[in-house]
Amino acid sequence: MLSAYRATARWTIAHGKQLLNEPSQGWTTFVLLAMLSLWFTVLSASIGRPIWCDEFLHYAICGLDKTRDAWMVVRDTTVGVNHGQTGAYMMLDYWILKLTGASAIGLRLPSLISGFMMWVGAFGLFRVWRLSFFWQAFVIVALFCQSCVTFYVGEARPYMPLVGTSVCVLLYYSLNADQRRRPWAVCFGYATVLAGVTLHPYFPVYWLSMCCFAYWKAWYEETEPWSLRGAIRHVNPLLAIVGAA
């Protein structure tokens, strides 16, 4: 046992400075942080917590037999009790519960996926900003310690999709021009924006804010020029058109 403690101490001394100060870009740390994000998602899943009144609106719609009937209810209630929602979250719940049956986990699955993407997007953002493993892990733990955040991870409402897509769109716009031309980044950007505008009506406001912040940061660090042409290139006009449509 003593030898194990000594070995751990030696490893900590040898690698502690690297984990604290040096940028972490390897796949090993990525997998470790993704596993930590998954674990925090499970802990925030509200397993065993009964659904409450707002979630019951989603649950009740799932009792309808046809997708058309469900969409008619969503459309007719959007400007009333559903407060201007896009209805996409409720339709996702409808299709998921048709596959899984009556399940609180299935009902909350879109929020759980969004919460996982929030944590992955957060530490991915810190990787792009070339911060160390310590800070990448720190941002995950810091978000987990926010009870107002973890509560909505386990709730069948469109709040967490708004948070998750906002973090991911900031990650996308924090990539440099060469990185954003890579196939995975193109798919990531379009998937994030389309998910955001589909699931929450307020996403365009956050989309614009994240884009402006990322451009300001790039200009401040002198990686992007402060010009109209540079701003247009940074926004990605085709992505903006697709998202606006």
Side-chain angles (χ1 to χ4, degrees), residues 119-134:
W119 276 303
V120 172
F123 82 74
L125 180 65
F126 277 32
R127 289 171 73 89
V128 170
W129 289 350
R130 300 192 61 78
L131 297 177
S132 67
F133 175 82
F134 170 82

Side-chain angles (χ1 to χ4, degrees), residues 23 35 38 49 70-71 80 90-91 98 121-122 149 203 221 232 243:
M35 291 175 63
L38 181 61
R49 189 184 79 187
W71 175 247
M90 286 178 277
M91 294 306 301
K98 286 301 179 184
V149 173
F203 173 77
E221 296 176 345
I232 293 174

Side-chain angles (χ1 to χ4, degrees), residues 12 23 29 48 70 104 148 162 172 198 217:
T12 303
T29 56
C148 59
L162 176 61
Y172 169 76
T198 302
K217 184 176 183 297

Side-chain angles (χ1 to χ4, degrees), residues 9-235:
R10 285 196 296 268
W11 187 92
T12 303
I13 293 172
H15 298 277
K17 184 177 180 180
Q18 177 183 359
L19 294 176
L20 184 62
N21 297 319
E22 296 184 11
S24 178
Q25 304 293 326
W27 280 106
T28 302
T29 56
F30 180 89
V31 172
L32 287 173
L33 293 172
M35 291 175 63
L36 181 61
S37 300
L38 181 61
W39 176 238
F40 283 167
T41 303
V42 173
L43 292 178
S44 306
S46 300
I47 297 174
R49 189 184 79 187
I51 62 175
W52 71 300
C53 56
D54 283 2
E55 293 179 299
F56 194 82
L57 293 172
H58 294 228
Y59 181 78
I61 290 173
C62 299
L64 298 173
D65 292 331
K66 298 180 180 179
T67 298
R68 181 177 179 275
D69 295 335
W71 175 247
M72 291 293 289
V73 172
V74 171
R75 188 193 64 180
D76 293 342
T77 59
T78 293
V79 296
V81 295
N82 287 320
H83 307 296
Q85 294 185 49
T86 64
Y89 196 117
M90 286 178 277
M91 294 306 301
L92 280 176
D93 277 343
Y94 177 82
W95 291 321
I96 291 171
L97 263 65
K98 286 301 179 184
L99 294 175
T100 65
S103 167
I105 296 298
L107 189 71
R108 295 161 176 162
L109 187 59
S111 288
L112 296 175
I113 295 174
S114 299
F116 176 70
M117 292 308 300
M118 173 193 67
W119 276 303
V120 172
F123 82 74
L125 180 65
F126 277 32
R127 289 171 73 89
V128 170
W129 289 350
R130 300 192 61 78
L131 297 177
S132 67
F133 175 82
F134 170 82
W135 291 110
Q136 293 174 33
F138 177 83
V139 70
I140 298 176
V141 175
L143 288 171
F144 179 70
C145 291
Q146 301 297 315
S147 59
C148 59
V149 173
T150 55
F151 177 82
Y152 289 114
V153 172
E155 184 184 73
R157 297 286 284 164
Y159 305 120
M160 190 46 57
L162 176 61
V163 175
T165 52
S166 296
V167 173
C168 287
V169 84
L170 177 58
L171 169 59
Y172 169 76
Y173 281 113
S174 295
L175 299 171
N176 62 43
D178 291 334
Q179 291 172 323
R180 279 197 276 157
R181 281 195 289 266
R182 297 174 183 174
W184 69 266
V186 173
C187 294
F188 177 75
Y190 278 90
T192 297
V193 168
L194 290 176
V197 297
T198 302
L199 289 168
H200 205 287
Y202 298 157
F203 173 77
V205 177
Y206 292 83
W207 178 13
L208 177 61
S209 301
M210 298 302 165
C211 180
C212 291
F213 173 77
Y215 183 60
W216 172 84
K217 184 176 183 297
W219 166 79
Y220 183 80
E221 296 176 345
E222 299 182 350
T223 58
E224 287 281 358
W226 188 263
S227 65
L228 179 61
R229 181 178 180 182
I232 293 174
R233 183 174 63 248
H234 179 81
V235 169

